[in-house]
Amino acid sequence: MHGPFRAQGWRARLLPLGWRRWTLWLLLAALVLVMLGIMVYLAGRYEASQVQSRLERDTSDALSDIRGGLTRNVQSLQALQSSNPTPSSWTIDAAEMLRQHRELMRIEWRDAGLHTLAHVDTPYRGKLFGRSGAEGPGGRDRAQTDVALACANARRFNGPAYSSSYFVPSSDGLGLEVIEMCLPLISSGRIAGYAVATYALQEVLANLVGRQLARSQEISFTEADGTRLALHGSARRGVRMFTAQQLLDLPGNTLVLRLDSWHSAPSLFPNVMTALVTAMAIALVSVLVLLAKDTRRRLAAERDLADALAFRKAMEDSLVTGLRARDLQGHITYVNPAFCQMVGFSAEELLGHGVPAPYWPPDRVTEYEQRQAIRLAGNVPPREGFESVFMRKDGTRFPVLVIEAPLINAQGLQTGWMSAFLDISEQRRIEELSRASQERLQATARLATVGEMASLLSHELNQPLAAISSYATGSMNLLRHQGASAPPDLDMALRRIAEQAERAGRVIKSVHDFVRRRDQAREPVAARALLEAIMPLVTLQARKLGVRVITDIEPGLPEVLCDRTMVEQVLLNLARNGMQAMEPCELAQRVLRIEARKAASNESSGWLEWRVIDHGPGIPKEVGEQLFTPFFTTKAEGMGLGLSLCRTVVEQHGGYLGFEAQAPRGTIFSFTLPVKKGPSPEAAVAVAVTAAV
Ligand code: ADP
């Protein structure tokens, strides 16, 4: 096929295509990897931001916890003073309050001049400040300035105020960061005294902040520069730290509350979503790998297909058998180059062509259409094929052998018919040739037999002929001895017998020589002498058949150089054929003419032409074609060898034997003989012999 399958082109395009395909695959894989990376990174970041915002939320919670706790404590302190206590009753209530609030280290009741009226220390720790009013590192006096400052602020705010934090070393070598809170006690509109509470910052964190907050993170108070004042919470886990800090704004002091949270980040799978994304990515990569494998298989299949196509094309192009496919409607769907060459049409002219096909001979269209209808009805043609005749584009016809088979597609359905064509014209020609040569061989074999027979006959006949001749001579001698009593006609007849016997002997010898292919003895003979030699026999037959014979010899003819006996036989044969041909004619028309004249060709001086003209029915064309074929005859008792022999004899002399039609009817047989070089001894006399009926 020329159109759809161009396998070579396919292959050529396959290489760069493969290259491009691979780069595409690499690009795809890179894109997928980048996308996955980004997704994992984003998922991680998302999770980090989640953790961070939770931490911020926790910090705010912690902050409000602390604020709430502090406010509640302020209220409790105010409650202590509400029942106008004495220092001793105040102490009992204050001790009870300290038992409940672990964040409080000490509560003092001071008068308006900041002198301590009563104080209570927390029962959970050893004395933090040593004895009251004592000097020294743990001494309460050291804190006096902080307390005074806080109370000054409290006075100003007319509410609770806090001091800045400071470190109180304890007797066990450790220490505490504490903060003072001063609450002015108002009595009848003026400040009657102060309640001073000392908070341990660490205990504030431990007791005021919700437990669940401290469980997973570290809570601390820091100064603005980051110095850590107090710390509470679990030990650090993981490597990645998240931090959130917020200001605890207290009247008179500002602390920074900081939450630290440790996570095992950066982990590869920070949470389920990332794990999901990663799983999806792995699935995607697996699909990619599978796809790549599939593509490789496809590529291999494509290559195989291209190879198969190229192979098929090469096979089709090298075929000498014509191939043609038709669909079920009889349209041509495929032709191979051999078929195109066979019918002389191009593939474009044939493809899609329906009925009648352009290569059907017009006079056979109906027959072929019937044949096709039978085929399309689903009848399977003979497996060995059938013969048909197609017409080339130039109009010439040729025989083909057609082998048809149903065309089955991949689904097992019949889609049309596939036909193979063999141009059998060459085969026919060879068959014809071999038949002709067979016939020629048979004829030659028969000729050889005839030759053998002739040679045998001539041998066998020689003896009786010699006997006839000597008897005739003997009889003539006897007659002469008898003298005048013998009738003169008898003597003449005997002489003729002797002559003819001698002639028969010569004929036999000539035939013998001819058959044996010996060089015939050529001799110069005058035309008239040749004619005279056969005239007695011609006359004899003419009388029998009722034919008038006219001879016409041109005067002044030169002698010819020939095998006299054989040429006489030729003349005799032609004359006899002519007379026999006129048998069915009316008597008046039975005229045979024998002429001798100089040949009319250019080199005419060298040749002499004999013509034997009859007025018979003439020679039909089909008879004329086989006239010189040995054993061809139309006569019941004929041998069919006469003309063939005549031609051989004439051609052996270098002459030509042919025939033509004679107007209005009859045939002219003519042959040429070579003239003897040199002057003619013959007198120029015209002779006309007429044999009457
Ligand atoms: P034969 O005479 O034995 O048949 P020939 O070779 O002499 O063999 O002649 C072959 C055939 O040629 C004859 O049978 C005859 O049909 C045809 N033929 C020969 N000469 C003539 C003629 N002058 N006119 C018509 N037919 C002739």
Side-chain angles (χ1 to χ4, degrees), residues 573-574 577-581 614 616-619 623 627 629 632-635 637-644 667 669:
N573 213 336
L574 293 180
N577 272 349
M579 288 188 287
Q580 283 174 345
D614 68 68
I619 298 175
V623 175
L627 215 55
T629 314
F632 172 79
T633 178
T634 60
K635 301 166 194 162
E637 74 290 2
M639 280 271 281
L641 280 175
L643 285 178
S644 144
T667 317
F669 274 89

PDB file of all heavy atoms in Angstrom, residues 573-574 577-581 614 616-619 623 627 629 632-635 637-644 667 669, ligand 1:
ATOM      1  N   ASN A 573       4.041 -30.719 -59.858  1.00  0.00           N
ATOM      2  CA  ASN A 573       3.238 -30.643 -58.639  1.00  0.00           C
ATOM      3  C   ASN A 573       2.297 -29.445 -58.664  1.00  0.00           C
ATOM      4  O   ASN A 573       1.105 -29.548 -58.361  1.00  0.00           O
ATOM      5  CB  ASN A 573       4.184 -30.532 -57.443  1.00  0.00           C
ATOM      6  CG  ASN A 573       3.605 -31.215 -56.216  1.00  0.00           C
ATOM      7  OD1 ASN A 573       2.386 -31.356 -56.120  1.00  0.00           O
ATOM      8  ND2 ASN A 573       4.453 -31.625 -55.312  1.00  0.00           N
ATOM      9  N   LEU A 574       2.862 -28.266 -59.017  1.00  0.00           N
ATOM     10  CA  LEU A 574       2.036 -27.053 -59.044  1.00  0.00           C
ATOM     11  C   LEU A 574       0.925 -27.187 -60.077  1.00  0.00           C
ATOM     12  O   LEU A 574      -0.230 -26.802 -59.837  1.00  0.00           O
ATOM     13  CB  LEU A 574       2.905 -25.825 -59.344  1.00  0.00           C
ATOM     14  CG  LEU A 574       3.911 -25.448 -58.242  1.00  0.00           C
ATOM     15  CD1 LEU A 574       4.714 -24.206 -58.654  1.00  0.00           C
ATOM     16  CD2 LEU A 574       3.227 -25.194 -56.910  1.00  0.00           C
ATOM     17  N   ASN A 577      -1.760 -29.522 -58.704  1.00  0.00           N
ATOM     18  CA  ASN A 577      -2.577 -28.844 -57.676  1.00  0.00           C
ATOM     19  C   ASN A 577      -3.590 -27.917 -58.329  1.00  0.00           C
ATOM     20  O   ASN A 577      -4.764 -27.892 -57.942  1.00  0.00           O
ATOM     21  CB  ASN A 577      -1.684 -28.022 -56.743  1.00  0.00           C
ATOM     22  CG  ASN A 577      -1.168 -28.857 -55.569  1.00  0.00           C
ATOM     23  OD1 ASN A 577      -1.645 -29.977 -55.356  1.00  0.00           O
ATOM     24  ND2 ASN A 577      -0.200 -28.341 -54.855  1.00  0.00           N
ATOM     25  N   GLY A 578      -3.130 -27.156 -59.330  1.00  0.00           N
ATOM     26  CA  GLY A 578      -4.008 -26.192 -60.006  1.00  0.00           C
ATOM     27  C   GLY A 578      -5.159 -26.893 -60.696  1.00  0.00           C
ATOM     28  O   GLY A 578      -6.319 -26.478 -60.577  1.00  0.00           O
ATOM     29  N   MET A 579      -4.846 -27.979 -61.377  1.00  0.00           N
ATOM     30  CA  MET A 579      -5.891 -28.709 -62.110  1.00  0.00           C
ATOM     31  C   MET A 579      -6.881 -29.340 -61.142  1.00  0.00           C
ATOM     32  O   MET A 579      -8.099 -29.282 -61.350  1.00  0.00           O
ATOM     33  CB  MET A 579      -5.249 -29.787 -62.983  1.00  0.00           C
ATOM     34  CG  MET A 579      -4.514 -29.183 -64.170  1.00  0.00           C
ATOM     35  SD  MET A 579      -3.953 -30.406 -65.347  1.00  0.00           S
ATOM     36  CE  MET A 579      -2.597 -31.147 -64.492  1.00  0.00           C
ATOM     37  N   GLN A 580      -6.364 -29.879 -60.027  1.00  0.00           N
ATOM     38  CA  GLN A 580      -7.268 -30.486 -59.038  1.00  0.00           C
ATOM     39  C   GLN A 580      -8.164 -29.429 -58.404  1.00  0.00           C
ATOM     40  O   GLN A 580      -9.334 -29.677 -58.105  1.00  0.00           O
ATOM     41  CB  GLN A 580      -6.459 -31.195 -57.951  1.00  0.00           C
ATOM     42  CG  GLN A 580      -5.910 -32.535 -58.432  1.00  0.00           C
ATOM     43  CD  GLN A 580      -4.982 -33.182 -57.421  1.00  0.00           C
ATOM     44  OE1 GLN A 580      -4.534 -32.527 -56.488  1.00  0.00           O
ATOM     45  NE2 GLN A 580      -4.659 -34.455 -57.633  1.00  0.00           N
ATOM     46  N   ALA A 581      -7.597 -28.199 -58.205  1.00  0.00           N
ATOM     47  CA  ALA A 581      -8.382 -27.127 -57.591  1.00  0.00           C
ATOM     48  C   ALA A 581      -9.566 -26.742 -58.460  1.00  0.00           C
ATOM     49  O   ALA A 581     -10.598 -26.313 -57.958  1.00  0.00           O
ATOM     50  CB  ALA A 581      -7.495 -25.916 -57.332  1.00  0.00           C
ATOM     51  N   ASP A 614      -4.204 -20.940 -62.057  1.00  0.00           N
ATOM     52  CA  ASP A 614      -5.450 -21.684 -62.249  1.00  0.00           C
ATOM     53  C   ASP A 614      -6.629 -20.753 -62.049  1.00  0.00           C
ATOM     54  O   ASP A 614      -6.463 -19.619 -61.611  1.00  0.00           O
ATOM     55  CB  ASP A 614      -5.512 -22.869 -61.268  1.00  0.00           C
ATOM     56  CG  ASP A 614      -5.657 -22.416 -59.834  1.00  0.00           C
ATOM     57  OD1 ASP A 614      -6.722 -21.872 -59.488  1.00  0.00           O
ATOM     58  OD2 ASP A 614      -4.680 -22.577 -59.031  1.00  0.00           O
ATOM     59  N   GLY A 616      -9.366 -21.724 -60.250  1.00  0.00           N
ATOM     60  CA  GLY A 616     -10.141 -22.467 -59.250  1.00  0.00           C
ATOM     61  C   GLY A 616     -10.774 -21.508 -58.234  1.00  0.00           C
ATOM     62  O   GLY A 616     -10.793 -20.291 -58.429  1.00  0.00           O
ATOM     63  N   PRO A 617     -11.244 -22.075 -57.111  1.00  0.00           N
ATOM     64  CA  PRO A 617     -11.935 -21.245 -56.101  1.00  0.00           C
ATOM     65  C   PRO A 617     -10.987 -20.366 -55.271  1.00  0.00           C
ATOM     66  O   PRO A 617     -11.446 -19.579 -54.450  1.00  0.00           O
ATOM     67  CB  PRO A 617     -12.622 -22.291 -55.223  1.00  0.00           C
ATOM     68  CG  PRO A 617     -11.812 -23.523 -55.376  1.00  0.00           C
ATOM     69  CD  PRO A 617     -11.244 -23.509 -56.762  1.00  0.00           C
ATOM     70  N   GLY A 618      -9.691 -20.486 -55.470  1.00  0.00           N
ATOM     71  CA  GLY A 618      -8.757 -19.680 -54.670  1.00  0.00           C
ATOM     72  C   GLY A 618      -8.453 -20.337 -53.340  1.00  0.00           C
ATOM     73  O   GLY A 618      -8.993 -21.403 -53.026  1.00  0.00           O
ATOM     74  N   ILE A 619      -7.569 -19.685 -52.569  1.00  0.00           N
ATOM     75  CA  ILE A 619      -7.144 -20.285 -51.286  1.00  0.00           C
ATOM     76  C   ILE A 619      -7.650 -19.416 -50.135  1.00  0.00           C
ATOM     77  O   ILE A 619      -7.295 -18.245 -50.028  1.00  0.00           O
ATOM     78  CB  ILE A 619      -5.609 -20.403 -51.232  1.00  0.00           C
ATOM     79  CG1 ILE A 619      -5.142 -21.326 -52.364  1.00  0.00           C
ATOM     80  CG2 ILE A 619      -5.150 -20.933 -49.884  1.00  0.00           C
ATOM     81  CD1 ILE A 619      -3.649 -21.423 -52.497  1.00  0.00           C
ATOM     82  N   VAL A 623      -6.394 -21.498 -44.805  1.00  0.00           N
ATOM     83  CA  VAL A 623      -5.663 -22.557 -45.524  1.00  0.00           C
ATOM     84  C   VAL A 623      -4.311 -22.008 -45.943  1.00  0.00           C
ATOM     85  O   VAL A 623      -3.268 -22.666 -45.787  1.00  0.00           O
ATOM     86  CB  VAL A 623      -6.464 -23.037 -46.744  1.00  0.00           C
ATOM     87  CG1 VAL A 623      -5.650 -24.039 -47.565  1.00  0.00           C
ATOM     88  CG2 VAL A 623      -7.768 -23.685 -46.296  1.00  0.00           C
ATOM     89  N   LEU A 627      -0.353 -23.586 -45.690  1.00  0.00           N
ATOM     90  CA  LEU A 627      -0.150 -24.241 -46.983  1.00  0.00           C
ATOM     91  C   LEU A 627       1.153 -25.027 -47.077  1.00  0.00           C
ATOM     92  O   LEU A 627       1.188 -26.143 -47.588  1.00  0.00           O
ATOM     93  CB  LEU A 627      -0.171 -23.156 -48.076  1.00  0.00           C
ATOM     94  CG  LEU A 627      -0.767 -23.544 -49.400  1.00  0.00           C
ATOM     95  CD1 LEU A 627      -2.154 -24.085 -49.233  1.00  0.00           C
ATOM     96  CD2 LEU A 627      -0.791 -22.322 -50.318  1.00  0.00           C
ATOM     97  N   THR A 629       2.913 -26.144 -44.598  1.00  0.00           N
ATOM     98  CA  THR A 629       3.189 -27.019 -43.462  1.00  0.00           C
ATOM     99  C   THR A 629       3.128 -28.471 -43.949  1.00  0.00           C
ATOM    100  O   THR A 629       2.175 -28.850 -44.628  1.00  0.00           O
ATOM    101  CB  THR A 629       2.127 -26.815 -42.375  1.00  0.00           C
ATOM    102  OG1 THR A 629       1.952 -25.410 -42.188  1.00  0.00           O
ATOM    103  CG2 THR A 629       2.533 -27.461 -41.076  1.00  0.00           C
ATOM    104  N   PHE A 632      -0.094 -30.959 -44.347  1.00  0.00           N
ATOM    105  CA  PHE A 632      -1.369 -30.236 -44.387  1.00  0.00           C
ATOM    106  C   PHE A 632      -2.027 -30.469 -45.741  1.00  0.00           C
ATOM    107  O   PHE A 632      -1.432 -30.234 -46.794  1.00  0.00           O
ATOM    108  CB  PHE A 632      -1.161 -28.731 -44.184  1.00  0.00           C
ATOM    109  CG  PHE A 632      -2.438 -27.950 -44.405  1.00  0.00           C
ATOM    110  CD1 PHE A 632      -3.425 -27.886 -43.424  1.00  0.00           C
ATOM    111  CD2 PHE A 632      -2.693 -27.346 -45.637  1.00  0.00           C
ATOM    112  CE1 PHE A 632      -4.603 -27.201 -43.646  1.00  0.00           C
ATOM    113  CE2 PHE A 632      -3.880 -26.665 -45.860  1.00  0.00           C
ATOM    114  CZ  PHE A 632      -4.837 -26.590 -44.862  1.00  0.00           C
ATOM    115  N   THR A 633      -3.270 -30.952 -45.693  1.00  0.00           N
ATOM    116  CA  THR A 633      -3.996 -31.203 -46.947  1.00  0.00           C
ATOM    117  C   THR A 633      -5.486 -31.035 -46.717  1.00  0.00           C
ATOM    118  O   THR A 633      -5.960 -31.164 -45.592  1.00  0.00           O
ATOM    119  CB  THR A 633      -3.689 -32.625 -47.477  1.00  0.00           C
ATOM    120  OG1 THR A 633      -4.462 -32.812 -48.669  1.00  0.00           O
ATOM    121  CG2 THR A 633      -4.070 -33.706 -46.478  1.00  0.00           C
ATOM    122  N   THR A 634      -6.202 -30.673 -47.770  1.00  0.00           N
ATOM    123  CA  THR A 634      -7.665 -30.618 -47.662  1.00  0.00           C
ATOM    124  C   THR A 634      -8.296 -31.744 -48.468  1.00  0.00           C
ATOM    125  O   THR A 634      -9.512 -31.845 -48.541  1.00  0.00           O
ATOM    126  CB  THR A 634      -8.188 -29.265 -48.188  1.00  0.00           C
ATOM    127  OG1 THR A 634      -7.791 -29.142 -49.546  1.00  0.00           O
ATOM    128  CG2 THR A 634      -7.677 -28.094 -47.379  1.00  0.00           C
ATOM    129  N   LYS A 635      -7.399 -32.549 -49.063  1.00  0.00           N
ATOM    130  CA  LYS A 635      -7.928 -33.606 -49.940  1.00  0.00           C
ATOM    131  C   LYS A 635      -7.969 -34.934 -49.192  1.00  0.00           C
ATOM    132  O   LYS A 635      -7.111 -35.192 -48.341  1.00  0.00           O
ATOM    133  CB  LYS A 635      -7.024 -33.757 -51.173  1.00  0.00           C
ATOM    134  CG  LYS A 635      -6.939 -32.461 -51.967  1.00  0.00           C
ATOM    135  CD  LYS A 635      -5.803 -32.517 -52.958  1.00  0.00           C
ATOM    136  CE  LYS A 635      -5.505 -31.127 -53.480  1.00  0.00           C
ATOM    137  NZ  LYS A 635      -4.186 -31.047 -54.108  1.00  0.00           N
ATOM    138  N   GLU A 637      -7.449 -37.943 -50.295  1.00  0.00           N
ATOM    139  CA  GLU A 637      -6.334 -38.862 -50.529  1.00  0.00           C
ATOM    140  C   GLU A 637      -4.977 -38.158 -50.575  1.00  0.00           C
ATOM    141  O   GLU A 637      -3.968 -38.735 -50.936  1.00  0.00           O
ATOM    142  CB  GLU A 637      -6.586 -39.654 -51.840  1.00  0.00           C
ATOM    143  CG  GLU A 637      -6.399 -38.917 -53.137  1.00  0.00           C
ATOM    144  CD  GLU A 637      -7.474 -37.860 -53.409  1.00  0.00           C
ATOM    145  OE1 GLU A 637      -8.387 -37.659 -52.553  1.00  0.00           O
ATOM    146  OE2 GLU A 637      -7.410 -37.207 -54.440  1.00  0.00           O
ATOM    147  N   GLY A 638      -4.995 -36.865 -50.156  1.00  0.00           N
ATOM    148  CA  GLY A 638      -3.761 -36.062 -50.244  1.00  0.00           C
ATOM    149  C   GLY A 638      -2.758 -36.442 -49.161  1.00  0.00           C
ATOM    150  O   GLY A 638      -3.123 -36.958 -48.105  1.00  0.00           O
ATOM    151  N   MET A 639      -1.487 -36.158 -49.447  1.00  0.00           N
ATOM    152  CA  MET A 639      -0.412 -36.415 -48.477  1.00  0.00           C
ATOM    153  C   MET A 639      -0.040 -35.133 -47.736  1.00  0.00           C
ATOM    154  O   MET A 639       0.509 -35.161 -46.640  1.00  0.00           O
ATOM    155  CB  MET A 639       0.843 -36.911 -49.203  1.00  0.00           C
ATOM    156  CG  MET A 639       0.807 -38.384 -49.559  1.00  0.00           C
ATOM    157  SD  MET A 639       1.477 -39.358 -48.221  1.00  0.00           S
ATOM    158  CE  MET A 639       3.230 -39.101 -48.521  1.00  0.00           C
ATOM    159  N   GLY A 640      -0.245 -34.003 -48.406  1.00  0.00           N
ATOM    160  CA  GLY A 640       0.110 -32.717 -47.795  1.00  0.00           C
ATOM    161  C   GLY A 640       1.594 -32.448 -47.806  1.00  0.00           C
ATOM    162  O   GLY A 640       2.084 -31.633 -47.034  1.00  0.00           O
ATOM    163  N   LEU A 641       2.321 -33.172 -48.662  1.00  0.00           N
ATOM    164  CA  LEU A 641       3.779 -32.977 -48.686  1.00  0.00           C
ATOM    165  C   LEU A 641       4.224 -32.184 -49.896  1.00  0.00           C
ATOM    166  O   LEU A 641       5.320 -31.632 -49.920  1.00  0.00           O
ATOM    167  CB  LEU A 641       4.486 -34.331 -48.707  1.00  0.00           C
ATOM    168  CG  LEU A 641       4.598 -35.016 -47.352  1.00  0.00           C
ATOM    169  CD1 LEU A 641       5.218 -36.402 -47.518  1.00  0.00           C
ATOM    170  CD2 LEU A 641       5.424 -34.180 -46.413  1.00  0.00           C
ATOM    171  N   GLY A 642       3.349 -32.097 -50.921  1.00  0.00           N
ATOM    172  CA  GLY A 642       3.731 -31.516 -52.204  1.00  0.00           C
ATOM    173  C   GLY A 642       4.314 -30.130 -52.091  1.00  0.00           C
ATOM    174  O   GLY A 642       5.480 -29.895 -52.456  1.00  0.00           O
ATOM    175  N   LEU A 643       3.545 -29.172 -51.578  1.00  0.00           N
ATOM    176  CA  LEU A 643       3.988 -27.783 -51.540  1.00  0.00           C
ATOM    177  C   LEU A 643       5.202 -27.605 -50.640  1.00  0.00           C
ATOM    178  O   LEU A 643       6.106 -26.828 -50.950  1.00  0.00           O
ATOM    179  CB  LEU A 643       2.851 -26.879 -51.070  1.00  0.00           C
ATOM    180  CG  LEU A 643       1.779 -26.624 -52.123  1.00  0.00           C
ATOM    181  CD1 LEU A 643       0.661 -25.772 -51.562  1.00  0.00           C
ATOM    182  CD2 LEU A 643       2.383 -25.937 -53.343  1.00  0.00           C
ATOM    183  N   SER A 644       5.210 -28.319 -49.520  1.00  0.00           N
ATOM    184  CA  SER A 644       6.354 -28.221 -48.610  1.00  0.00           C
ATOM    185  C   SER A 644       7.634 -28.637 -49.323  1.00  0.00           C
ATOM    186  O   SER A 644       8.666 -27.983 -49.227  1.00  0.00           O
ATOM    187  CB  SER A 644       6.060 -29.082 -47.387  1.00  0.00           C
ATOM    188  OG  SER A 644       7.207 -29.705 -46.920  1.00  0.00           O
ATOM    189  N   THR A 667      -5.770 -18.862 -58.413  1.00  0.00           N
ATOM    190  CA  THR A 667      -4.532 -18.646 -57.659  1.00  0.00           C
ATOM    191  C   THR A 667      -3.353 -18.654 -58.611  1.00  0.00           C
ATOM    192  O   THR A 667      -3.352 -19.373 -59.608  1.00  0.00           O
ATOM    193  CB  THR A 667      -4.335 -19.774 -56.627  1.00  0.00           C
ATOM    194  OG1 THR A 667      -5.589 -20.030 -55.987  1.00  0.00           O
ATOM    195  CG2 THR A 667      -3.313 -19.409 -55.577  1.00  0.00           C
ATOM    196  N   PHE A 669       0.562 -19.500 -58.470  1.00  0.00           N
ATOM    197  CA  PHE A 669       1.762 -19.977 -57.765  1.00  0.00           C
ATOM    198  C   PHE A 669       2.954 -19.583 -58.602  1.00  0.00           C
ATOM    199  O   PHE A 669       2.967 -19.788 -59.822  1.00  0.00           O
ATOM    200  CB  PHE A 669       1.723 -21.492 -57.585  1.00  0.00           C
ATOM    201  CG  PHE A 669       0.971 -21.910 -56.352  1.00  0.00           C
ATOM    202  CD1 PHE A 669      -0.399 -22.135 -56.387  1.00  0.00           C
ATOM    203  CD2 PHE A 669       1.659 -22.061 -55.138  1.00  0.00           C
ATOM    204  CE1 PHE A 669      -1.083 -22.501 -55.251  1.00  0.00           C
ATOM    205  CE2 PHE A 669       0.967 -22.442 -54.001  1.00  0.00           C
ATOM    206  CZ  PHE A 669      -0.395 -22.661 -54.055  1.00  0.00           C
TER     207      PHE A 669
HETATM  208  P1  ADP B   1      -1.780 -32.288 -51.387  1.00  0.00           P
HETATM  209  O1  ADP B   1      -1.837 -31.916 -52.803  1.00  0.00           O
HETATM  210  O2  ADP B   1      -1.289 -33.661 -51.149  1.00  0.00           O
HETATM  211  O3  ADP B   1      -3.006 -31.983 -50.614  1.00  0.00           O
HETATM  212  P2  ADP B   1      -0.065 -30.011 -51.209  1.00  0.00           P
HETATM  213  O4  ADP B   1       0.982 -29.624 -50.273  1.00  0.00           O
HETATM  214  O5  ADP B   1       0.344 -30.047 -52.634  1.00  0.00           O
HETATM  215  O6  ADP B   1      -0.634 -31.394 -50.749  1.00  0.00           O
HETATM  216  O7  ADP B   1      -1.265 -29.056 -51.118  1.00  0.00           O
HETATM  217  C1  ADP B   1      -1.740 -28.742 -49.866  1.00  0.00           C
HETATM  218  C2  ADP B   1      -3.100 -28.102 -49.934  1.00  0.00           C
HETATM  219  O8  ADP B   1      -3.013 -26.847 -50.580  1.00  0.00           O
HETATM  220  C3  ADP B   1      -4.081 -28.812 -50.792  1.00  0.00           C
HETATM  221  O9  ADP B   1      -4.728 -29.836 -50.078  1.00  0.00           O
HETATM  222  C4  ADP B   1      -5.050 -27.773 -51.253  1.00  0.00           C
HETATM  223  O10 ADP B   1      -6.047 -27.598 -50.362  1.00  0.00           O
HETATM  224  C5  ADP B   1      -4.226 -26.535 -51.221  1.00  0.00           C
HETATM  225  N1  ADP B   1      -3.856 -26.105 -52.585  1.00  0.00           N
HETATM  226  C6  ADP B   1      -2.684 -26.300 -53.198  1.00  0.00           C
HETATM  227  N2  ADP B   1      -2.682 -25.688 -54.412  1.00  0.00           N
HETATM  228  C7  ADP B   1      -3.900 -25.094 -54.568  1.00  0.00           C
HETATM  229  C8  ADP B   1      -4.522 -24.324 -55.622  1.00  0.00           C
HETATM  230  N3  ADP B   1      -3.887 -24.032 -56.809  1.00  0.00           N
HETATM  231  N4  ADP B   1      -5.771 -23.867 -55.433  1.00  0.00           N
HETATM  232  C9  ADP B   1      -6.426 -24.151 -54.262  1.00  0.00           C
HETATM  233  N5  ADP B   1      -5.892 -24.877 -53.235  1.00  0.00           N
HETATM  234  C10 ADP B   1      -4.638 -25.336 -53.396  1.00  0.00           C
END
